[in-house]
């Protein structure tokens, strides 16, 4: 059953007072993140802001940080990234998941380099016109990099708004209302800091589960706090059970330290990536012939969870001489494959190597 809407008296919000309280808190408590310049330094680099926001979609800050450092060391400008071969960028992205983001990253970088002289548009509308840039990313880059008054709403901001206004409609139906609530607090004064202050508050204080209300600068206005149970917000509709699919992955070695990989189709899950040869992934998989007539042996199974389904791969291991397999096999050093394959294939390769 969906959660019952919660009725809490509407709060009386003084936007200027809320903004002052939160910005004062941010000045004293802002997170030191590798993509943020220190206070008093130059305005944030739009390339670094954009890259960090793309990486942080569906990814935690600790997980994204080493990837950001590696990308900016290897490709320090958007034009450098635009000139990089697809395969190198996709391999560097491996482990961050949601690989369509990597393809969109390259498309956007090449548009900025080719159509805008390597300079990001400085308005929300201009950013939104770039390939692969959605409403959230356009607003975040406009606010943080260019100090434009944009309404930046991520999951952290949704949670802060749901609690501040005690929004009784469950997510995801509440999203439009949460955006409207957040828009009432956007102003011309320090819009970049305001966006980051809201995100920092949600990440460190107004957390999922038990919020740290004793540390929050907004409790004077927070309706959820006054209700006595702020952790109830935001309400969420129960998610449907994730379907389970099965398949087979083949770990084929050549006896000299290499493993056979294949290039996946450009469209679809993990599109354009190198991966292990596999069968189709389905609820009721059909037996698929292996990529070679080698003597195959069972090597166990690995599990992986994607956004829309869970997957179990039966791993089969074998060995043969390079060049004997059928199909376009890409013979790759094992260590290189372990470092660059998407997580699901790395798991299967590790299982096959341990056999």
């Amino acid at each position: 059953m969906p959660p019952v809407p919660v009725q809490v008296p509407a709060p009386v919000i003084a936007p200027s007072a809320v903004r002052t309280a939160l910005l004062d808190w941010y000045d004293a408590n802002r997170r030191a993140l590798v993509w943020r310049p220190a206070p008093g330094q130059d305005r944030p680099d739009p390339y670094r802001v954009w890259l960090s926001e793309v990486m942080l979609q569906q990814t935690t800050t600790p997980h994204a940080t080493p990837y950001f450092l590696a990308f900016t060391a290897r490709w320090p400008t958007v034009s450098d990234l635009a000139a990089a071969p697809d395969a190198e960028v996709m391999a560097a992205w491996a482990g961050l998941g949601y690989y369509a983001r990597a393809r969109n990253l390259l498309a956007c970088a090449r548009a900025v380099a080719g159509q805008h002289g390597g300079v990001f548009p400085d308005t929300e509308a201009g950013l939104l016109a770039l390939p692969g840039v959605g409403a959230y990313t356009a607003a975040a880059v406009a606010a943080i990099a260019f100090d434009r008054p944009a309404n930046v709403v991520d999951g952290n901001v949704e949670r802060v708004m749901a609690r501040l206004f005690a929004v009784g409609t469950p997510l995801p139906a509440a999203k439009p209302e949460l955006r409207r609530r957040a828009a009432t607090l956007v102003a011309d004064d320090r819009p970049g800091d305001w966006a980051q202050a809201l995100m920092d508050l949600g990440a460190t204080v107004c957390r999922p589960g038990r919020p740290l209300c004793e540390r929050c600068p907004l409790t004077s206005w927070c309706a959820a706090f006054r209700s006595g149970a702020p952790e109830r917000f935001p309400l969420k509709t129960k998610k449907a059970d994730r379907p389970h699919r099965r398949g087979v992955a083949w770990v084929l070695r050549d006896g000299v330290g290499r493993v056979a990989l294949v290039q996946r189709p450009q469209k679809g899950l993990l599109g354009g990536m190198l991966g292990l040869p596999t069968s189709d992934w389905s609820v009721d998989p059909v037996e698929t012939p292996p990529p070679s007539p080698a003597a195959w042996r069972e090597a166990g199974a690995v599990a992986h969870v994607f956004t829309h389904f869970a997957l179990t791969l039966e791993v089969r291991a074998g060995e043969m001489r390079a060049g004997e397999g059928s199909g376009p096999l890409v013979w790759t050093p094992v260590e290189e494959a372990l470092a660059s394959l998407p997580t699901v294939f790395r798991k299967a390769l590790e299982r096959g190597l341990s056999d």
Side-chain angles (χ1 to χ4, degrees), residues 51-70:
L51 181 61
S52 68
E53 291 297 340
V54 175
M55 286 186 169
L56 286 168
Q57 294 168 19
Q58 306 293 332
T59 306
T60 65
T61 295
H63 187 60
T65 295
Y67 285 89
F68 177 86
L69 291 172

Side-chain angles (χ1 to χ4, degrees), residues 23-201:
L23 287 169
D24 287 348
W25 173 87
Y26 177 70
D27 289 339
N29 297 279
R30 58 176 283 161
R31 290 181 292 175
L33 303 175
V34 295
W35 41 82
R36 285 183 183 171
Q41 290 185 348
D42 293 337
R43 187 184 295 261
D45 177 0
Y47 169 61
R48 294 171 69 88
V49 175
W50 163 75
L51 181 61
S52 68
E53 291 297 340
V54 175
M55 286 186 169
L56 286 168
Q57 294 168 19
Q58 306 293 332
T59 306
T60 65
T61 295
H63 187 60
T65 295
Y67 285 89
F68 177 86
L69 291 172
F71 263 71
T72 51
R74 190 171 180 179
W75 302 297
T77 70
V78 69
S79 296
D80 294 326
L81 180 61
D86 290 38
E88 291 186 13
V89 175
M90 299 299 283
W93 190 272
L96 272 174
Y98 299 89
Y99 291 93
R101 288 183 298 163
R103 294 192 293 274
N104 289 336
L105 193 81
L106 272 172
C108 181
R110 288 166 181 167
V112 172
Q115 301 169 24
H116 299 274
V119 178
F120 277 86
D122 63 359
T123 66
E124 193 171 354
L127 291 160
L128 194 55
L130 294 171
V133 174
Y136 167 76
T137 302
V141 176
I144 298 169
F146 299 110
D147 233 21
R148 303 286 190 183
N151 189 25
V152 184
V153 182
D154 68 353
N156 285 317
V157 176
E158 286 181 343
R159 187 166 55 257
V160 172
M161 293 300 121
R163 289 172 175 167
L164 185 62
F165 293 94
V167 174
T169 304
L171 287 169
K175 284 179 176 289
E177 180 180 357
L178 297 175
R179 285 190 58 82
R180 290 194 298 270
R181 297 286 193 178
T184 66
L185 299 173
V186 174
D188 291 338
D189 178 43
R190 300 178 63 186
D193 286 345
W194 174 252
Q196 293 174 102
L198 277 175
M199 290 188 280
D200 279 12
L201 185 73

Side-chain angles (χ1 to χ4, degrees), residues 259-333:
V259 63
L261 304 180
V262 294
Q263 188 89 38
R264 294 180 63 81
Q266 288 297 321
K267 293 186 177 181
L269 190 63
L270 306 177
M273 302 289 291
L274 284 174
L276 293 173
T278 73
S279 67
D280 289 338
W281 302 343
S282 63
V283 175
D284 188 17
V286 176
E287 185 66 25
T288 303
S292 157
W296 294 99
R297 57 192 179 277
E298 302 290 339
V302 296
H304 190 75
V305 177
F306 293 99
T307 306
H308 301 299
F309 67 94
L311 174 69
T312 298
L313 283 179
E314 298 291 336
V315 180
R316 296 173 186 168
E319 189 170 305
M320 59 175 290
R321 291 194 301 273
E324 290 185 349
S326 60
L329 299 178
V330 181
W331 290 96
T332 305

